[in-house]
Amino acid sequence: MLNKMNLWKNQNNSSSLRDRIHQIKDHEVPSHVAIIMDGNGRWAKKRALPRVAGHHEGMKVVRKITKLASELGVKTLTVYAFSTENWKRPKMEVDFLMKLPEEFLGTFLPELIEENVRVEMIGYMDKLPEHTRRAVSKAMEDTKGNTGLILNFALNYGSRAEILDGVKRVLADVESGIMKEDELTEEVFSSYLMTKELNDPDLLIRTSGEIRLSNFMLWQLAYSEFWFTDVLWPDFNEEHFVEAIEAFQGRQRRFGGV
Ligand code: V07
């Protein structure tokens, strides 16, 4: 209850979060926001907790930010939950991470359905453990008719592998005569990527102070605005998300249009 009250409270004479949300909705809201949710391990270390405690806390933040993004009118929210590189982590940590989709969906899927959210994923699903795959597939199935925000999980995702697989399928289609080489445009190539159903992100957020892409949506982020913060993902809250959108809108107003 206190948390909810804080959403409305006026602090330091500045606009309340409610006012800022109102303002944001009066301007161009990024249609697709992508987030690299970094800093979960560091958050745990600072508290002398196991890394997995940070991942678990981070999971709750995904829920919180999804709700706000949906309220703001964001159409697609892509969150980088697990990269193809993350298999190199200790087995115990990987096993824990692979249970998070089930826990997240077990807890939040009814609310997401209530809010008309559609769950999607990009990444190499076939290499996920059966129990993880089953949970994610069920969520996608249960929400496929929903018309609100698309909550797109990048799970076992890597951008170079995605591009390379796209190139290989283009070559196969050219060799078999399905496509002529001169028909291959940027738009056509985009349809060979895992994001074929989605528009490119307008805004990328990365938490925890790292200023790099780490193999995330390399093709899709070509024209996106980037917003980096030192805030660790488990500490990321509505104010931070609003701050990122405000920064995006400021840039749009300065450079966008004619
Ligand atoms: C994971 C929590 C968020 C911070 C980053 C790493 C840890 C939500 C999911 C998830 C994935 C698919 C799905 C529903 C939920 C998730 C992993 C890690 C592997 F359909 N959070 N989260 N998956 N973290």
Side-chain angles (χ1 to χ4, degrees):
M1 194 58 197
L2 251 177
N3 263 336
K4 256 216 172 92
M5 299 284 287
N6 277 330
L7 272 178
W8 301 77
K9 198 174 63 182
N10 238 334
Q11 287 172 332
N12 307 326
N13 210 18
S14 62
S15 299
S16 74
L17 191 54
R18 273 298 125 195
D19 292 341
R20 290 166 75 186
I21 289 170
H22 219 81
Q23 284 281 318
I24 282 176
K25 289 163 103 173
D26 283 342
H27 298 95
E28 187 195 325
V29 174
S31 162
H32 184 172
V33 178
I35 310 182
I36 302 176
M37 309 181 288
D38 203 3
N40 303 287
R42 215 171 308 164
W43 180 91
K45 193 171 181 185
K46 272 185 18 187
R47 287 164 178 74
L49 294 169
R51 288 174 58 80
V52 294
H55 296 317
H56 194 264
E57 198 63 26
M59 181 189 74
K60 294 191 255 170
V61 177
V62 173
R63 167 50 186 139
K64 191 158 69 179
I65 298 307
T66 300
K67 197 173 187 132
L68 178 55
S70 171
E71 187 193 343
L72 289 173
V74 171
K75 298 268 188 288
T76 308
L77 181 67
T78 296
V79 290
Y80 204 1
F82 193 88
S83 82
T84 49
E85 313 310 310
N86 288 157
W87 297 109
K88 294 176 195 157
R89 292 183 179 182
K91 178 170 168 18
M92 179 244 119
E93 188 178 338
V94 170
D95 288 350
F96 182 91
L97 285 166
M98 285 303 140
K99 286 185 196 130
L100 283 183
E102 285 148 286
E103 183 173 354
F104 179 94
L105 295 165
T107 312
F108 301 126
L109 188 58
E111 299 172 21
L112 295 175
I113 291 172
E114 186 72 28
E115 285 160 29
N116 197 21
V117 170
R118 193 170 110 210
V119 175
E120 280 293 340
M121 83 156 270
I122 54 171
Y124 295 91
M125 200 174 195
D126 49 309
K127 292 187 188 84
L128 297 174
E130 164 76 25
H131 63 95
T132 312
R133 212 166 47 213
R134 208 172 333 116
V136 178
S137 295
K138 181 184 178 292
M140 294 196 299
E141 182 63 28
D142 290 355
T143 62
K144 71 176 180 209
N146 289 358
T147 54
L149 176 102
I150 298 171
L151 175 55
N152 182 39
F153 288 97
L155 199 51
N156 193 24
Y157 173 83
S159 187
R160 286 190 174 184
E162 175 195 35
I163 291 169
L164 213 46
D165 284 342
V167 168
K168 287 176 185 172
R169 285 190 296 113
V170 166
L171 286 173
D173 284 352
V174 169
E175 261 159 44
S176 70
I178 293 174
M179 189 186 18
K180 288 209 192 83
E181 188 184 325
D182 61 6
E183 287 166 8
L184 182 61
T185 61
E186 289 183 10
E187 198 187 330
V188 167
F189 186 68
S190 293
S191 75
Y192 282 79
L193 299 174
M194 293 167 173
T195 47
K196 57 179 180 288
E197 313 285 354
L198 309 170
N199 52 359
D200 290 337
D202 303 288
L203 172 64
L204 170 77
I205 297 172
R206 180 166 189 159
T207 59
S208 191
E210 310 297 344
I211 318 291
R212 44 184 139 82
L213 285 182
S214 303
N215 204 18
F216 186 56
M217 297 183 100
L218 301 176
W219 172 277
Q220 297 87 344
L221 291 168
Y223 295 102
S224 313
E225 296 287 342
F226 290 3
W227 191 80
F228 297 97
T229 175
D230 288 339
V231 173
L232 308 178
W233 179 251
D235 291 327
F236 194 85
N237 61 26
E238 287 93 346
E239 302 248 355
H240 300 119
F241 191 73
V242 158
E243 194 183 332
I245 308 282
E246 286 170 347
F248 172 86
Q249 292 186 328
R251 293 180 204 174
Q252 292 300 106
R253 278 201 292 279
R254 250 172 301 150
F255 306 116
V258 283

